[in-house]
Amino acid sequence: MIHLCSKPRFMTTGLPLMAAVLFGTVVAVSAPALAADFAEQQQLVDKAKMTVEAFISDPSGGPATRELKGETKALFIVPQFLRGAFVFGGAGGSGVLIVRDEKTKKWSEPAFYTIGSASFGLQIGGDVSEMIFVVRSQKGLEEFYRTDFKLGADASMALGPVGEGGSAKGITADLVAYAKKKGAFAGVAVDGSIIAVSDDSNEAYYGKPVRPTDIIVKQSVSNPKSGELRNAAAKLMQ
């Protein structure tokens, strides 16, 4: 049970403590559950497929995303990116990375990650977004093979243009992010977020400990239940 302290205490010594507690909450939400199981990860894969399908059917986002199809190396799909703030702000979610083979154009099995960020300031509010990051450079792709990396610092990022007149031509960033909030495309501040490998989720989905390179590069594991997601990605980039 959480006991709220009196106003004077909250405004003095309680504020750093409350910030620390909330920071721990954000990290806990964005981190993989210790008891990750296959069903949870399959649900994430299914939601990722639905996110891709939502982008395909949208007259604004679909064409904008496909504009980069010639240089797309991978897609990082986050079905639910949660943002909430009350004095302390934070954001997080889970996502999957699928990589397109340059020769066969087939999409890889999914690798699991978390994404999260934290910020301080007088703010209030919250929202949920669906996001697709188009990985368009080899450097951007290789960052996903590390344990974690920071958007904007380790890999450059740009928000994808959508709507009439929007064009991705000339964008040189390693990753291009597209986001939908409440069914409409809108910009979401994710610069500075940390993307980290979810080892527990990968193990739960493939039945043994694996790294993203085992899944994507060595192709040492597979799961037929990811087929619909891979088919949806192929359709998006047609």
Side-chain angles (χ1 to χ4, degrees):
M1 180 178 295
I2 299 175
H3 297 282
L4 296 178
C5 53
S6 63
K7 183 175 180 180
R9 180 175 174 81
F10 176 80
M11 295 303 292
T12 55
T13 59
L15 182 56
L17 177 61
M18 181 63 74
V21 171
L22 287 172
F23 177 75
T25 302
V26 172
V27 172
V29 169
S30 62
L34 294 178
D37 59 33
F38 170 79
E40 292 174 353
Q41 311 322 316
Q42 185 59 49
Q43 186 178 52
L44 178 58
V45 170
D46 292 340
K47 287 181 178 179
K49 180 207 70 166
M50 289 188 287
T51 294
V52 174
E53 290 174 342
F55 274 64
I56 292 173
S57 61
D58 193 283
S60 177
T65 310
R66 283 192 293 273
E67 189 177 5
L68 292 168
K69 65 180 181 181
E71 53 194 277
T72 296
K73 295 184 176 296
L75 297 175
F76 179 51
I77 307 154
V78 182
Q80 288 186 315
F81 186 75
L82 309 175
R83 294 197 309 170
F86 184 80
V87 179
F88 173 89
S94 298
V96 294
L97 176 78
I98 53 175
V99 179
R100 184 167 63 175
D101 187 279
E102 292 187 0
K103 294 181 180 179
T104 65
K105 304 303 180 183
K106 292 184 178 180
W107 291 89
S108 74
E109 298 285 345
F112 294 79
Y113 296 80
T114 60
I115 177 172
S117 65
S119 61
F120 292 91
L122 296 176
Q123 50 189 320
I124 186 169
D127 57 51
V128 180
S129 303
E130 297 177 88
M131 301 190 69
I132 291 182
F133 294 80
V134 176
V135 184
R136 54 166 304 279
S137 74
Q138 186 62 31
K139 179 183 183 303
L141 176 58
E142 289 176 357
E143 292 295 336
F144 281 90
Y145 297 152
R146 297 170 52 189
T147 300
D148 58 60
F149 68 97
K150 187 174 184 178
L151 290 174
D154 300 315
S156 59
M157 195 207 73
L159 294 178
V162 295
E164 186 176 352
S167 175
K169 293 181 180 178
I171 290 179
T172 59
D174 298 313
L175 281 74
V176 181
Y178 294 88
K180 290 185 69 169
K181 289 192 294 187
K182 296 181 180 179
F185 280 86
V188 174
V190 292
D191 205 27
S193 297
I194 302 293
I195 295 177
V197 176
S198 179
D199 289 322
D200 288 341
S201 298
N202 286 317
E203 180 177 356
Y205 197 66
Y206 295 107
K208 64 180 182 179
V210 285
R211 294 290 296 170
T213 49
D214 297 322
I215 301 167
I216 296 166
V217 180
K218 298 178 183 178
Q219 300 179 12
S220 60
V221 292
S222 64
N223 190 322
K225 291 185 177 296
S226 69
E228 291 187 4
L229 169 61
R230 291 182 276 118
N231 291 338
K235 185 176 180 180
L236 175 65
M237 288 297 169
Q238 282 179 351

